[in-house]
Amino acid sequence: MSVWVPCGKQVRPRGDNVRLIRALKIRSHFRESRLEIPLRNEMQHLPEPSLFMNASPLLSPLSLSGFSLPNRIVLAPLTRSRAGQERIPNAIMAEYYCQRSSAGLMISEATTISPQANGWLETPGIYTDAMEAGWGEVLSAVHARGGKMFCQLWHMGRASHSSFHGGALPVAPSAIPIVGDPIHTPAGKQPHETPRALDTDEIPGIVDDYRRAAVRARSAGFDGIELHAANGYLIDQFLQSRTNHRTDRYGGSIAGRNRFLLEIVEAVTSVWPANRVGVRLAPNGVYNDMGSPDYREQFSTAIESLNNFGLAYLHLVDGLAFGFHNHGSPYTLAEARRVYTGPLMANCGYTRESAESAVQSGMAELVSFGRDYISNPDLVERFANDWPLAAPAGMETWYSPTGGRGYTDFPNYSAS
């Protein structure tokens, strides 16, 4: 037995008729797709779950300054490239997130804040009415299932390519290119380019792009937002001395390199209550040619500065599953706990056992899971009932624009 979940809040005219028509087309697309979302206990012959068969600390509820989560298991932001060339969220994405809606919190895939922020094929944005309407349909379906979801706001900075921008170079704090593997572009694999260093007077406009994206995320129905300040993207590029050689107020010192992040946090918390805003940092990361000799002091100072806002959480990529820059010993949850007074979310390579240990010890309030969630949409139920995990999904499906294949076709656990 399955039920139809209504896919959409009323679209209200907020601008010219052309923009309204685009939004209505999104609604029509969802209706035509006839997205059918089964009831949770009847999905794919899932055995009747007893969600608290064990006393795992991951299954205990959590209040983030009044924002209540049913458990501490988080769907990490995962780029999956299913939004199409127009970057508009769609019915297959709604199905994907609904399948995983028993997570205490879901964080959307990285979502670009402006055309300048783009740099990855077929990822979603949140800077047009059509994109906002598409996300609204996704959120209507997710909320009908009881799910809670934050939107991760993203600007790729130097990790982009001119072929995404009509020939204009990608932007960055300094004109320092990525050294590493080629980038996938609309023109095929291309070597990384030397980015254009942003002028000082351009930076407030990008800060405002984050604010406008936060407004759209709230209008679309997200429960909050997360700033992607990790993995070598624009905010991380400003934070790190490896990529920020500026001599103006946005560089030249640890405080200067922190400024861009803190201005963005100030901007988005003018839109959202602070307990609906998270920040993701990766002090150990090497992805996108990152890692700075002064990483420990830089990130400890940035983390301590975030105490001033009362954020929902700090999302720390402390695990080393994707490599380490080797500029010293890894930055740990314990170090973050010493300087950060708010909730911590741990990430990267955690197993159920190591996640339980992090929560039980008080090192983290939440743990986000990425790769395990790709092939286990019912991860919460599997943890709760001691059911085995499915085999990991092949990397060839992670970012492939293949529709439902390798995306929504992973079954829930079945004892048969």
Side-chain angles (χ1 to χ4, degrees):
M1 172 181 166
S2 58
V3 294
W4 298 105
V5 174
C7 268
K9 58 186 180 183
Q10 188 71 27
V11 176
R12 301 178 185 272
R14 294 185 306 128
D16 56 56
N17 289 335
V18 172
R19 294 192 299 173
L20 176 59
I21 290 169
R22 287 175 181 164
L24 291 172
K25 284 181 178 178
I26 300 301
R27 295 185 67 201
S28 175
H29 169 74
F30 272 79
R31 290 196 185 102
E32 290 169 3
S33 72
R34 296 183 64 80
L35 173 63
E36 189 176 44
I37 303 171
L39 287 170
R40 183 172 298 167
N41 289 349
E42 300 165 345
M43 292 171 62
Q44 302 168 344
H45 309 292
L46 182 69
E48 188 70 29
S50 300
L51 280 182
F52 297 97
M53 285 178 64
N54 61 53
S56 170
L58 295 174
L59 301 174
S60 62
L62 177 67
S63 176
L64 299 174
S65 300
F67 179 52
S68 298
L69 304 180
N71 61 68
R72 296 160 187 255
I73 299 166
V74 177
L75 170 64
L78 295 167
T79 297
R80 303 305 309 277
S81 296
R82 262 69 174 194
Q85 294 184 2
E86 299 301 314
R87 302 185 181 276
I88 297 172
N90 51 50
I92 196 75
M93 291 169 60
E95 182 181 0
Y96 170 83
Y97 286 113
C98 284
Q99 289 173 344
R100 291 153 180 81
S101 59
S102 61
L105 177 66
M106 297 187 291
I107 306 172
S108 80
E109 59 213 275
T111 301
T112 50
I113 62 168
S114 68
Q116 185 195 66
N118 290 325
W120 198 298
L121 296 170
E122 303 198 17
T123 56
I126 191 158
Y127 53 85
T128 70
D129 289 343
M131 293 169 179
E132 181 183 321
W135 276 122
E137 300 290 354
V138 172
L139 269 296
S140 291
V142 164
H143 288 152
R145 292 289 300 278
K148 298 184 177 183
M149 190 168 174
F150 278 26
C151 181
Q152 191 190 63
L153 302 183
W154 190 30
H155 191 308
M156 293 190 63
R158 72 170 187 164
S160 185
H161 188 270
S162 59
S163 59
F164 287 97
H165 308 293
L169 287 171
V171 298
S174 301
I176 302 170
I178 291 174
V179 177
D181 294 336
I183 179 174
H184 293 272
T185 80
K189 278 190 176 182
Q190 300 290 328
H192 287 281
E193 300 165 311
T194 299
R196 179 179 67 81
L198 286 159
D199 292 335
T200 303
D201 59 7
E202 292 180 279
I203 295 173
I206 297 177
V207 173
D208 199 54
D209 286 341
Y210 277 95
R211 184 195 60 80
R212 287 196 296 267
V215 170
R216 286 192 178 275
R218 190 162 190 177
S219 178
F222 279 100
D223 298 291
I225 59 170
E226 177 180 282
L227 297 176
H228 195 346
N231 298 356
Y233 298 115
L234 186 63
I235 300 176
D236 197 20
Q237 293 162 27
F238 269 90
L239 282 171
Q240 296 210 40
S241 60
R242 182 182 184 95
T243 44
N244 184 344
H245 293 183
R246 302 180 71 92
T247 57
D248 63 3
R249 65 181 183 271
Y250 292 99
S253 67
I254 285 174
R257 290 190 292 271
N258 283 341
R259 183 183 300 275
F260 184 58
L261 168 63
L262 298 180
E263 287 185 357
I264 294 169
V265 175
E266 288 177 357
V268 299
T269 53
S270 73
V271 175
W272 286 91
N275 72 325
R276 299 298 185 95
V277 176
V279 172
R280 179 174 167 98
L281 296 174
N284 297 323
V286 69
Y287 185 70
N288 278 325
D289 192 26
M290 297 304 288
S292 305
D294 56 354
Y295 70 101
R296 179 160 272 112
E297 186 179 3
Q298 181 72 55
F299 281 96
S300 288
T301 304
I303 290 169
E304 190 169 17
S305 297
L306 294 174
N307 286 324
N308 296 325
F309 296 97
L311 300 177
Y313 58 81
L314 171 65
H315 192 176
L316 194 72
V317 186
D318 62 299
L320 307 180
F322 286 107
F324 177 54
H325 50 62
N326 292 313
H327 284 295
S329 59
Y331 196 96
T332 65
L333 280 176
E335 288 181 83
R337 178 59 79 201
R338 285 195 290 270
V339 296
Y340 188 65
T341 59
L344 280 172
M345 183 186 300
N347 173 257
C348 195
Y350 277 83
T351 64
R352 170 182 161 181
E353 292 73 22
S354 61
E356 288 176 338
S357 177
V359 172
Q360 188 69 55
S361 67
M363 287 295 103
E365 280 74 25
L366 298 150
V367 181
S368 64
F369 296 85
R371 284 172 286 182
D372 282 345
Y373 250 124
I374 294 177
S375 55
N376 297 276
D378 57 338
L379 188 67
V380 171
E381 289 81 0
R382 291 185 190 240
F383 283 177
N385 293 281
D386 295 317
W387 295 333
L389 299 188
M395 189 177 290
E396 69 278 1
T397 71
W398 289 7
Y399 314 119
S400 300
T402 53
R405 183 169 61 83
Y407 187 56
T408 57
D409 56 357
F410 294 101
N412 289 307
Y413 176 74
S414 174
S416 59

